Amino acid sequence: MTETRATDEGPNPALGSAVRRRRRALDLTLSAVAERSGLSVPFLSQIENERARPSMRSLQRIADGLGTTAVELLAAADATERSVDVVRARHDAGLAPDAGVRPLVRGQHRMHALEFTGAQHADREFLHQGDELMYVADGAAEVEAEGRTYRLGRGDTLYLTGGVRHRWRATSQDTRVLLVSVSDHRADH
């Protein structure tokens, strides 16, 4: 019997490098990204040089400024191909320790999965080309989509087809939400 060994690597501090690669690919200066994102040049420089870790909200703002998504930046931070991969509960995504989010899939793939814990605010609208599945593992969440509000409790699942504008928030502190989205193609940066 052949034994297959799962990859079980330690933390990957490459988020800053992924941000820098994306910025340079777009031929943008730190000042331009700062203007687009509303963040300061020194803070962006610290992130790119791995001296600061962004919160998920800051990462979203950086992604907006770079014309991409936080999920794509996290995926680009760990672009190593794996056929079998174990992401341990303490996997360091390069985000601030209190970010309340961690990737469940590493590298650049068609499927993206994130785990959100604690308070999440509905201050940002999302529009994805690919489909998305939201599963409430603990607590409760509220999703606004297509003019309706959907209240989800523990064990509930919400499925959104690509192209549906939506926003969501946790409605209790003990909330843990798993988001899985699928893109049409794998991004190669």
Side-chain angles (χ1 to χ4, degrees):
M1 178 176 199
T2 305
E3 181 179 328
T4 305
R5 187 171 169 255
T7 303
D8 186 16
E9 299 174 357
N12 180 358
L15 183 58
S17 297
V19 170
R20 182 184 307 109
R21 281 193 308 273
R22 176 69 180 182
R23 177 179 61 79
R24 288 180 176 168
L26 296 172
D27 198 26
L28 294 172
T29 63
L30 278 173
S31 296
V33 176
E35 186 175 316
R36 289 175 170 200
S37 66
L39 299 171
S40 72
V41 171
F43 180 59
L44 291 170
S45 176
Q46 288 176 346
I47 290 169
E48 284 192 3
N49 291 299
E50 306 295 345
R51 290 188 307 251
R53 294 179 172 196
S55 66
M56 191 60 185
R57 182 170 292 176
S58 292
L59 185 60
Q60 288 286 357
R61 290 170 70 179
I62 293 167
D64 290 344
L66 294 173
T68 188
T69 66
V71 169
E72 290 294 330
L73 287 175
L74 288 167
D78 187 1
T80 306
E81 293 292 325
R82 296 172 178 90
S83 59
V84 176
D85 189 21
V86 174
V87 178
R88 298 289 179 201
R90 294 182 188 168
H91 176 69
D92 182 359
L95 294 169
D98 61 348
V101 63
R102 73 179 177 105
L104 300 174
V105 176
R106 296 186 285 195
Q108 296 182 21
H109 303 284
R110 289 186 59 206
M111 184 182 79
H112 306 287
L114 297 170
E115 177 186 54
F116 291 86
T117 54
Q120 301 295 327
H121 306 283
D123 57 355
R124 180 164 194 252
E125 185 175 75
F126 296 94
L127 176 64
H128 308 293
Q129 291 181 348
D131 295 353
E132 182 174 282
L133 178 103
M134 175 185 281
Y135 173 74
V136 180
D138 290 305
E142 210 171 68
V143 180
E144 294 174 26
E146 307 225 317
R148 292 185 59 197
T149 300
Y150 301 88
R151 288 175 180 78
L152 306 173
R154 184 173 187 244
D156 290 343
T157 300
L158 177 83
Y159 179 81
L160 300 162
T161 58
V164 173
R165 290 185 185 279
H166 62 284
R167 64 180 68 231
W168 73 276
R169 69 182 181 93
T171 55
S172 68
Q173 279 296 85
D174 64 337
T175 298
R176 188 166 55 101
V177 172
L178 307 178
L179 286 178
V180 178
S181 63
V182 178
S183 61
D184 291 334
H185 64 284
R186 203 174 77 195
D188 294 316
H189 298 298

